Amino acid sequence: MTTPRKRRMTIVGLIALVVTIVWIGNIVWRIDDWNRDWSTNHAEITVDASDPALRSPTFPESPEVIAKRIRDWADAQPLWTVQSEASDENILTLHLVHRTRLFRFADDIHVHLEPVGEATRLTAESQSRLGKGDLGQNPRNLKELLSGLR
């Protein structure tokens, strides 16, 4: 016959097991590219990116207007901060930091805004500060940024 204490310990153990399985499942579910995500801690938005979601967009506004939209968006996000802003030869650069939810790992995102005629082309890179692989976090950072601008 089991005692109430043993029953409570069994229930606590089952709850811990379920939480662990859900946590690991969440990580596994978010990995897009198993080859890339275990060995790469960097992602880019470029004109010729193989992932269509990471191709460089062009916006009809000036770099200053796009930079303000990025700052406003980042300020409204709990895990994003704007670290600095610089201008060099017509290219406006923003340095943002994204922190992961659970462990608060920092990823550096550098956004480059280049005037193209009356429009602005956005390119960017996201780099993890720690680790060999990012489990897909850096591409997610860039996709989240682009999503926030659309």
Side-chain angles (χ1 to χ4, degrees):
M1 185 154 181
T2 61
T3 65
R5 182 175 178 185
K6 283 185 179 179
R7 245 179 298 188
R8 270 182 291 189
M9 289 179 66
T10 302
I11 291 170
V12 168
L14 286 173
I15 291 171
L17 177 64
V18 168
V19 168
T20 302
I21 289 170
V22 168
W23 182 70
I24 291 171
N26 185 30
I27 290 172
V28 170
W29 179 259
R30 297 179 80 179
I31 295 176
D32 293 329
D33 182 347
W34 285 87
N35 290 326
R36 181 229 167 271
D37 295 346
W38 288 106
S39 61
T40 305
N41 67 356
H42 179 262
E44 293 180 310
I45 294 174
T46 60
V47 175
D48 58 350
S50 59
D51 182 347
L54 293 177
R55 290 203 183 124
S56 182
T58 301
F59 297 96
E61 298 98 342
S62 70
E64 292 78 16
V65 171
I66 301 301
K68 182 177 180 344
R69 284 178 51 197
I70 292 170
R71 283 191 307 272
D72 291 346
W73 174 82
D75 288 343
Q77 306 305 309
L79 301 172
W80 289 76
T81 56
V82 177
Q83 293 291 294
S84 65
E85 185 174 330
S87 184
D88 182 29
E89 295 182 26
N90 294 330
I91 297 177
L92 188 60
T93 302
L94 292 164
H95 175 200
L96 299 111
V97 173
H98 174 265
R99 293 202 174 269
T100 60
R101 286 189 197 284
L102 185 59
F103 294 114
R104 301 290 189 229
F105 292 129
D107 298 327
D108 292 300
I109 298 94
H110 295 277
V111 179
H112 310 284
L113 302 170
E114 179 181 7
V116 179
E118 299 291 318
T120 299
R121 177 179 298 129
L122 182 147
T123 57
E125 60 263 354
S126 180
Q127 172 78 45
S128 299
R129 290 185 186 172
L130 297 172
K132 182 178 176 184
D134 63 11
L135 300 178
Q137 185 59 52
N138 285 297
R140 283 192 301 275
N141 291 344
L142 296 175
K143 290 173 185 176
E144 185 178 346
L145 173 66
L146 289 176
S147 171
L149 288 175
R150 292 192 172 117

